[in-house]
């Protein structure tokens, strides 16, 4: 029997007991009294939004990204499914910990058996097959799960390595606007601009995706098992990238978009900033700190750190839909200063030691001391 401690933002805690990853019972203190209860299977209410948080890769800021998504989801009154095959990640969500708002969540594993045939054929003989196979299972499980249960207001999120540097209530507002557009235009999927502008409109990708028609998407995949060898469609729609870029499900969806088999569009949030894979954002060939502003996609790591003035700024692809909620420049710093607040205890100690040793002037001491309690 395993037990986990679930922590909530209001300070409450639950001790839950599992056998074979199935929750059996839990106890919690409520109003000073101990309450023991059997666990009931949690599921979304009819019509409720469903967020599929794909979580696998454990890294320094992985749980920070997950927490921010939980904060956003709470503002959207949604149900959460963690798509997780990594035992360390699953246990870490409770140990680090992440703080929950309610018990409206569950864990599911990737549908490896159910999706095995499709994934094997779609990614037949690609390089690094095992890596892309695992990722494909994770990406497609939300479609299969949503189709099985009839969910049509779902999000497919790479929640362990994407952070939108804006307060959760503002992100929720932007996503709701994106939903409205997707419903109005009868889109199958609506993705956040992680790659589209960065590739001059070529590549449609996962990361943050609103999904309306999971069953139709799965049907399109089944009808395009041989997509890499469909010379007729490649020639008709000039999708020649298929011959080189065909190693993951993202490129298959790009192909489905360009061959008009699925209605897929892309949005961005004006004046927002996103960090994708923050643990490797300093790498020049990645550098996925992105900001959309005044028609320009700005990559500050490339522009400022590497001083690459050409590739540090790219035009936002004209096919991307602007979602504007009036974000200000200060919204980014407001968020990070609140999310990563500090008391500057170390700096204050150092100031005192420096003063004692006459290493700094009284003016310098007063300038810093007392002005750095917390941002």
């Amino acid at each position: 029997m395993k037990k986990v401690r679930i922590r909530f933002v209001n300070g409450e805690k639950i001790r839950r007991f599992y056998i074979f990853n199935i929750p059996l019972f839990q106890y919690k203190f409520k109003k000073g009294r101990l309450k023991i209860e059997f666990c009931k299977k949690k599921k979304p209410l009819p019509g409720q939004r469903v967020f599929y948080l794909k979580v696998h890769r454990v890294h320094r800021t992985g749980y920070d990204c997950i927490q921010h998504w939980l904060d956003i989801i709470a503002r959207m009154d949604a149900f959460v499914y963690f798509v997780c095959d990594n035992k360390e990640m699953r246990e870490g969500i409770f140990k680090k910990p992440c703080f929950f708002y309610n018990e409206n969540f569950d864990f599911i594993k990737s549908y490896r058996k159910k999706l095995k045939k499709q994934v094997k054929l779609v990614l037949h003989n690609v390089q690094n097959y095992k890596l892309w196979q695992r990722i494909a299972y994770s990406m497609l499980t939300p479609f299969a799960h949503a189709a099985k249960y009839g969910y049509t207001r779902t999000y497919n999120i790479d929640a362990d390595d994407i952070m939108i540097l804006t307060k959760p209530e503002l992100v929720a507002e932007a996503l709701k606007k994106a939903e409205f557009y997707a419903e109005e235009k009868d889109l199958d999927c609506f993705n956040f601009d992680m790659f589209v502008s960065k590739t001059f409109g070529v590549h449609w990708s996962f990361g943050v995706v609103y999904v309306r028609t999971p069953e139709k998407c799965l049907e399109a995949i089944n009808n395009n098992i041989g997509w890499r060898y469909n010379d007729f469609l490649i020639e008709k729609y000039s999708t020649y990238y298929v011959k080189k870029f065909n190693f993951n499900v993202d490129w298959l969806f790009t192909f489905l978009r360009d061959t008009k088999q699925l209605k897929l569009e892309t949005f961005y949030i004006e004046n927002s900033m996103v960090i994708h894979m923050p643990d490797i954002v300093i790498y020049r060939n990645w550098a996925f700190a992105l900001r959309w502003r005044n028609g320009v996609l700005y990559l500050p790591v490339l522009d400022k750190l590497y001083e690459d003035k050409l590739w540090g700024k790219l035009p936002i692809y004209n096919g991307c839909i602007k979602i504007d909620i009036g974000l200000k420049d200060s919204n980014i710093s407001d968020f990070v200063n609140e999310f990563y607040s500090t008391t500057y205890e170390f700096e204050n100690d150092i100031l005192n030691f420096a003063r004692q040793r006459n290493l700094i002037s009284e003016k310098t001491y007063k300038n810093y001391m007392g002005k750095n309690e917390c941002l």
Side-chain angles (χ1 to χ4, degrees):
M1 181 177 290
K2 291 178 57 177
K3 57 184 177 181
V4 301
R5 181 179 295 167
I6 304 172
R7 298 168 174 86
F8 296 89
V9 293
N10 64 2
E12 291 184 1
K13 297 177 184 178
I14 288 179
R15 182 79 73 174
R16 183 174 291 177
F17 295 83
Y18 290 79
I19 290 183
F20 302 119
N21 288 327
I22 299 174
L24 293 182
F25 66 93
Q26 62 189 26
Y27 66 81
K28 57 186 174 181
F29 282 96
K30 193 168 185 179
K31 295 182 179 179
R33 300 181 63 182
L34 178 65
K35 183 179 180 181
I36 302 175
E37 58 189 14
F38 288 104
C39 295
K40 296 180 180 179
K41 187 72 173 178
K42 299 293 183 180
K43 60 181 181 180
L45 297 173
Q48 187 177 19
R49 293 184 184 90
V50 176
F51 274 72
Y52 291 95
L53 302 186
K54 299 173 294 183
V55 293
H56 178 83
R57 198 170 63 89
V58 179
H59 60 92
R60 172 82 178 182
T61 55
Y63 298 104
D64 296 340
C65 294
I66 293 170
Q67 182 63 63
H68 189 38
W69 281 108
L70 290 176
D71 296 340
I72 294 166
I73 291 166
R75 273 72 175 181
M76 299 185 72
D77 191 28
F79 190 91
V80 178
Y81 283 108
F82 291 97
V83 182
C84 182
D85 300 315
N86 185 334
K87 181 180 177 182
E88 180 185 359
M89 170 59 82
R90 176 171 176 152
E91 293 180 352
I93 287 173
F94 299 113
K95 289 179 179 179
K96 290 301 176 181
C98 291
F99 292 89
F100 292 82
Y101 287 79
N102 50 52
E103 296 181 59
N104 293 327
F105 68 91
D106 198 3
F107 283 80
I108 60 175
K109 291 186 176 181
S110 296
Y111 284 1
R112 291 175 179 266
K113 289 184 179 180
K114 185 172 184 177
L115 296 170
K116 184 176 181 179
K117 181 179 179 181
Q118 292 99 318
V119 169
K120 186 176 181 179
L121 292 172
V122 165
L123 302 181
H124 176 66
N125 207 30
V126 301
Q127 289 187 350
N128 298 319
Y129 172 73
K130 288 187 177 181
L131 168 66
W132 293 116
Q133 178 193 45
R134 176 187 64 75
I135 294 174
Y137 287 141
S138 181
M139 284 182 175
L140 295 180
T141 293
F143 288 91
H145 188 274
K148 179 179 179 180
Y149 293 101
Y151 304 145
T152 57
R153 299 174 69 201
T154 73
Y155 284 84
N156 191 315
I157 308 289
D158 293 349
D160 56 16
D161 59 18
I162 292 178
M163 182 180 285
I164 304 175
L165 304 186
T166 304
K167 290 185 177 182
E169 57 270 22
L170 296 177
V171 179
E173 181 184 346
L175 293 180
K176 288 175 183 178
K177 280 196 170 186
E179 285 181 19
F180 181 81
Y181 178 90
E183 300 292 337
E184 188 178 53
K185 299 298 182 180
D186 195 28
L187 303 184
D188 295 305
C189 300
F190 202 24
N191 75 330
F192 197 18
D193 182 23
M194 303 298 293
F195 270 97
V196 175
S197 292
K198 200 169 185 289
T199 59
F200 301 94
V202 174
H203 188 29
W204 192 98
S205 74
F206 284 85
V208 178
V209 182
Y210 180 55
V211 180
R212 294 183 60 251
T213 61
E215 192 169 2
K216 180 181 176 183
C217 292
L218 289 174
E219 183 180 351
I221 292 171
N222 289 331
N223 291 337
N224 286 270
I225 294 298
W227 65 294
R228 293 179 297 162
Y229 313 106
N230 193 328
D231 292 331
F232 172 76
L233 289 181
I234 292 171
E235 184 71 28
K236 180 179 179 180
Y237 293 100
S238 300
T239 60
Y240 302 108
Y241 54 77
V242 168
K243 296 301 182 180
K244 184 171 184 178
F245 300 112
N246 54 28
F247 50 84
N248 61 23
V249 173
D250 303 66
W251 282 106
L252 170 57
F253 269 72
T254 302
F255 176 76
L256 295 174
R257 176 198 65 180
D258 294 342
T259 55
K260 315 298 183 184
Q261 298 183 68
L262 288 177
K263 196 172 181 181
L264 311 178
E265 292 191 25
T266 300
F267 72 93
Y268 66 95
I269 304 172
E270 176 70 7
N271 216 15
S272 68
M273 179 178 283
V274 168
I275 305 292
H276 183 23
M277 293 190 178
D279 56 316
I280 63 170
V281 73
I282 198 172
Y283 292 179
R284 183 165 188 161
N285 65 338
W286 190 250
F288 257 87
L290 309 173
R291 187 176 187 185
W292 298 261
R293 185 178 182 184
N294 297 329
V296 175
L297 174 62
Y298 178 52
L299 292 84
V301 175
L302 285 181
D303 181 53
K304 294 298 184 182
L305 181 61
Y306 292 99
E307 296 188 353
D308 188 335
K309 301 304 179 184
L310 178 62
W311 290 95
K313 293 184 178 70
L314 300 170
I316 295 175
Y317 178 58
N318 59 15
C320 291
I321 304 304
K322 179 168 73 172
I323 303 296
D324 194 347
I325 57 171
L327 291 181
K328 302 176 182 177
D329 293 349
S330 60
N331 287 126
I332 296 171
S333 59
D334 287 346
F335 167 74
V336 294
N337 281 317
E338 182 175 311
F339 198 84
Y340 292 108
S341 62
T342 180
T343 58
Y344 287 97
E345 291 182 15
F346 173 78
E347 289 81 359
N348 287 334
D349 287 340
I350 291 300
L351 278 170
N352 284 320
F353 289 129
R355 185 191 196 190
Q356 290 168 6
R357 298 185 60 198
N358 295 318
L359 298 176
I360 57 174
S361 67
E362 191 66 16
K363 181 180 179 181
T364 298
Y365 177 82
K366 290 180 179 180
N367 185 51
Y368 289 94
M369 179 59 74
K371 297 181 180 178
N372 54 18
E373 287 79 6
C374 185
L375 289 177

